[in-house]
Amino acid sequence: MKIKKVLTIILLASSCAAFAQSFTVNSPNKKISLSLHLNAAGALVYHVNYKNKPIIEPSNLGFKINDQADLLNNFSILQVDSSTFNETWTPVWGETKTIVNNYKEIAITLKEKGDKPRILQVVFKVFNDGVGFRYHFPEQPNLFHFVVADELSTFNLTGDHKIWWMPGDFDTNEYTYNTSQISEIEKLAKKRDGAIFTATPIKGAFVQTPLMIKTKDNVYVNIHEAALINYPAMDLKFNLSTFEATSTLANDAVGNKAYMRAPCSTPWRTIIVSDDARDIIASKTILNLNEPCKLTNTNYIKPMKYCGIWLEMHLGLSTWDFAGGQSASDAGSDGKQKTKTKHGATTENTKKYIDFAAKNGFGGVLVEGWNEGWEDWFGKWKEDVFDFVTPYPDYDFKGLNAYAQSKGVGMITHHETSGSVTNYERWIDSAYRLMASVGSHALKSGYVGKIIPRGEFHDGQWMVNHYLRAIKKAAQYDIMVVAHEPVRPTGLHRTYPNFMAAEAARGQEFNFWSEGNPPEHETILPFTRLMGGPMDYTPGIFEIKMSAYDITKKEQVHSTLAKQLALYVTMYSPLQMAADLPENYEKHLDAFQFIKEVPVDWQESKYLEAEPGDFITVVRKDKNSENWFLGAITDENNRDTEIKLDFLSPNKKYQAIVYQDGKDADWQNNPKSYAIKTIQVTLKSKIKLHLAKGGGAAISFKPIN
């Protein structure tokens, strides 16, 4: 059902004083109130209340424009449009089968006073769980081609709140998260992280979005953006005295932020609000602020689990390059080779992974290091590295795709650009055409390194446009995309559902060759990075300590084995990797059974418990059956909880298989200790769970016929 009602008020300049210069819009459920007014300087100001308590205090809106006066004040209100909207739509894939899109909208058209007035429209949508706003520049004589020097949107918070954040940086989002008060940002901001090659943190009190906030009144607020198209990504700069955050945009090589041509619009700025943390991660507001699906064909889009030739290179057991000698664990910052190790992406080795995928019902096999160029790429800022079509002599590209298809498995092609994006764009049609010719319908792309064109950032307008060009181009060849090292997602998978997932945060791989990801990391990501879209986190590591491969290594995954199972439910992605080596799964076939069975496309999702940085419990219903799957994780502290099973269907009995931490489990001292039990339950049952330090639990529920 789709309902839209529109009311338009035209305010004539000669009689503006006769009309109210303030407006209030309430959410459909009346919990959120947006207020707008034109102040004495002629600037449009907004503020947001939740349950009659201020969340965003009066905040400014506007722009700095190159070679022009700021587009900030001296406005009169030309026109006001208001509407209500209510629909239910069906995503191609996702956490739920259907999504409700219900909001009230107000669009205020502003006109500057003076001889050559410029016109700016600000559009607000008020949902039951938040507010989205964006700017629209109508076609007009006094503002056509223009350059944005910066955006002046502010978020005036009500106090020195607790926040979960990472330093502002337009070239990487692979930091660990800080938990602090707003006033502590500048002193806690990390210096360059040696494990992040492109880290360029912005000096000062800058943070990235999505930003998670908890007020002193225990109200949760999340600030991010939606529908990032033809515009740079937004970070936030805090005033540590007033706690006001101002948008700041990634610049290009010459210092400009965005090149615009009216008519045009900016991305939406999003503010998600609730006094229940579960509502934040369940929100669909960011998705709803994106346009409906634009693809005419979605038949090739298939959510799936996959395995692949990936981890063995991170462990130093094999290499990406044919000559041997470069892996994440032994390559220096200069990229020089230090060892001689076998090539991983061989025909023989790939067939083993294909056979493993076919045996266990996985839909895909990823192979990294299959194409020429890996010997001389890391850290060189080099223009021509890969051509994306020439396999190494020991890798039969066409033959392996045919072999995989004969087994009912698809090959996931890997394109590492090394940051040389101009080179990738020259080859992209040829590369996608080759994939289409052999029936490879899934792609993992990578953007490791400094960007070429030199001086551009990963989060700048040029790169934002490239990522979307690549997704649209992939759709022309029936290809699904998983992007690594891109700008953080903003819900564009609604519009382009072949954009399946992204990394765009500190993934599991950091556990193998750096200080790793602290146990709280996976309890923060759903409140931050995953607000914009699914993450390719690569869960499912069973061999937790890297000393199993080399006794001199101290690195390890900062979780228990049971928590690795739970991540398949708590960290949503329609493409989930069984990331460990096949031989490690064969040592624990009883625990591996959960990975084999857990779906990746869901009919319904319920967040049962949640607190950012502490714990999350999620239960989801398979889209294609009556089976439910639960995941519960904790941070560095152990946790006891009791779960009500009232989400189960009435008048049915279920077999519940519980995969949980062993009594002596601990992420540091005994991470592989786990226990499995089978019990019979109904919707009236409760299950007590003990989560070890850094631990978790996973449960499958199947109806008993």
Side-chain angles (χ1 to χ4, degrees), residues 508 511 519 521-523 525-526 530 535 537-541 557-573 576 594 598 620 630-634 695-698:
Q508 182 96 274
N511 287 316
H521 189 60
E522 295 90 353
T523 68
L525 284 169
L530 273 81
M535 182 176 177
Y537 190 68
T538 61
I541 302 299
V557 177
H558 293 192
S559 80
T560 64
L561 187 151
K563 184 176 183 178
Q564 289 292 308
L565 298 179
L567 293 178
Y568 284 90
V569 185
T570 64
M571 298 274 290
Y572 175 66
S573 177
Q576 286 279 28
F594 183 83
V598 65
R620 306 186 194 270
L630 181 145
I633 63 173
T634 187

Side-chain angles (χ1 to χ4, degrees), residues 65-68 138 140-148 258-264:
I65 308 292
N66 278 8
D67 303 319
Q68 297 186 35
Q140 55 190 291
N142 298 321
L143 193 66
F144 183 43
H145 288 285
F146 61 99
V147 179
V148 174
Y259 300 87
M260 311 290 280
R261 176 182 173 178
C264 58

Side-chain angles (χ1 to χ4, degrees), residues 378-496:
F378 187 78
K380 300 296 179 65
W381 218 7
K382 183 180 175 184
E383 178 77 18
D384 297 316
V385 181
F386 304 105
D387 67 11
F388 313 100
V389 297
T390 306
Y392 280 122
D394 60 346
Y395 186 81
D396 182 1
F397 184 85
K398 292 184 178 180
L400 285 167
N401 274 275
Y403 181 76
Q405 289 172 33
S406 73
K407 297 274 188 173
V409 175
M411 294 300 296
I412 302 174
T413 304
H414 182 231
H415 290 167
E416 176 52 65
T417 68
S418 70
S420 182
V421 185
T422 47
N423 177 58
Y424 189 46
E425 292 209 344
R426 285 192 290 270
W427 283 100
I428 198 166
D429 262 302
S430 298
Y432 289 179
R433 193 178 302 116
L434 175 64
M435 289 178 61
S437 72
V438 296
S440 175
H441 292 290
L443 166 72
K444 175 185 174 182
S445 59
Y447 295 89
V448 174
K450 296 180 180 180
I451 297 299
I452 300 175
R454 294 176 179 86
E456 296 291 342
F457 288 112
H458 284 74
D459 291 355
Q461 183 185 30
W462 197 93
M463 282 302 297
V464 166
N465 289 341
H466 162 78
Y467 301 131
L468 186 53
R469 280 196 296 270
I471 291 166
K472 290 180 178 179
K473 180 70 68 174
Q476 294 175 14
Y477 291 92
D478 292 352
I479 293 172
M480 301 176 284
V481 176
V482 175
H484 278 229
E485 300 87 29
V487 69
R488 48 202 176 270
T490 59
L492 279 172
H493 55 284
R494 178 188 182 187
T495 312
Y496 302 99

Side-chain angles (χ1 to χ4, degrees), residues 216-484:
K216 294 178 180 179
D217 294 330
N218 295 318
V219 176
Y220 301 88
V221 184
N222 186 278
I223 299 176
H224 190 34
E225 55 185 328
L228 177 58
I229 297 173
N230 192 30
Y231 203 76
M234 176 184 73
D235 281 6
L236 299 172
K237 180 181 180 181
F238 269 100
N239 182 316
L240 300 183
S241 299
T242 64
F243 314 117
E244 180 182 64
T246 302
S247 59
T248 184
L249 306 175
N251 58 274
D252 70 358
V254 297
N256 294 324
K257 302 299 177 75
Y259 300 87
M260 311 290 280
R261 176 182 173 178
C264 58
S265 298
T266 69
W268 296 91
R269 278 62 187 98
T270 62
I271 306 165
I272 313 300
V273 185
S274 180
D275 52 11
D276 189 333
R278 297 175 299 175
D279 295 338
I280 303 295
I281 47 181
S283 174
K284 295 295 181 285
T285 288
I286 289 175
L287 262 183
N288 281 327
L289 287 168
N290 282 266
E291 293 185 25
C293 177
K294 289 189 175 183
L295 304 186
T296 56
N297 174 33
T298 60
N299 293 331
Y300 64 93
I301 299 174
K302 305 292 184 184
M304 64 179 172
K305 284 168 290 189
Y306 69 98
C307 60
I309 300 174
W310 172 79
L311 178 59
E312 61 185 67
M313 280 90 82
H314 286 283
L315 297 174
L317 304 177
S318 65
T319 66
W320 284 273
D321 59 294
F322 176 68
Q326 185 168 305
S327 68
S329 59
D330 64 23
S333 60
D334 59 0
K336 290 182 179 179
Q337 300 175 5
K338 293 186 177 181
T339 63
K340 286 290 180 182
T341 311
K342 66 180 180 179
H343 183 217
T346 67
T347 299
E348 180 183 10
N349 196 27
T350 304
K351 283 187 175 180
K352 292 179 182 178
Y353 280 87
I354 293 171
D355 291 343
F356 178 77
K359 177 182 176 182
N360 294 290
F362 295 164
V365 171
L366 166 70
V367 179
E368 294 196 6
W370 67 273
N371 57 317
E372 290 185 355
W374 289 89
E375 287 79 8
D376 187 36
W377 74 282
F378 187 78
K380 300 296 179 65
W381 218 7
K382 183 180 175 184
E383 178 77 18
D384 297 316
V385 181
F386 304 105
D387 67 11
F388 313 100
V389 297
T390 306
Y392 280 122
D394 60 346
Y395 186 81
D396 182 1
F397 184 85
K398 292 184 178 180
L400 285 167
N401 274 275
Y403 181 76
Q405 289 172 33
S406 73
K407 297 274 188 173
V409 175
M411 294 300 296
I412 302 174
T413 304
H414 182 231
H415 290 167
E416 176 52 65
T417 68
S418 70
S420 182
V421 185
T422 47
N423 177 58
Y424 189 46
E425 292 209 344
R426 285 192 290 270
W427 283 100
I428 198 166
D429 262 302
S430 298
Y432 289 179
R433 193 178 302 116
L434 175 64
M435 289 178 61
S437 72
V438 296
S440 175
H441 292 290
L443 166 72
K444 175 185 174 182
S445 59
Y447 295 89
V448 174
K450 296 180 180 180
I451 297 299
I452 300 175
R454 294 176 179 86
E456 296 291 342
F457 288 112
H458 284 74
D459 291 355
Q461 183 185 30
W462 197 93
M463 282 302 297
V464 166
N465 289 341
H466 162 78
Y467 301 131
L468 186 53
R469 280 196 296 270
I471 291 166
K472 290 180 178 179
K473 180 70 68 174
Q476 294 175 14
Y477 291 92
D478 292 352
I479 293 172
M480 301 176 284
V481 176
V482 175
H484 278 229

Side-chain angles (χ1 to χ4, degrees), residues 18-86:
F19 292 87
Q21 298 293 288
S22 62
F23 307 89
T24 299
V25 180
N26 294 317
S27 61
N29 64 5
K30 311 296 184 184
K31 290 183 180 180
I32 294 176
S33 176
L34 166 73
S35 296
L36 299 158
H37 72 273
L38 210 62
N39 67 15
L44 184 65
V45 176
Y46 80 97
H47 62 274
V48 178
N49 284 1
Y50 174 73
K51 293 184 176 179
N52 297 317
K53 290 183 178 181
I55 298 300
I56 303 293
E57 296 195 323
S59 300
N60 296 321
L61 302 159
F63 291 89
K64 286 185 176 293
I65 308 292
N66 278 8
D67 303 319
Q68 297 186 35
D70 291 353
L71 196 59
L72 179 65
N73 49 33
N74 200 32
F75 287 118
S76 61
I77 297 177
L78 182 66
Q79 182 171 310
V80 178
D81 297 285
S82 64
S83 63
T84 61
F85 188 84
N86 191 5

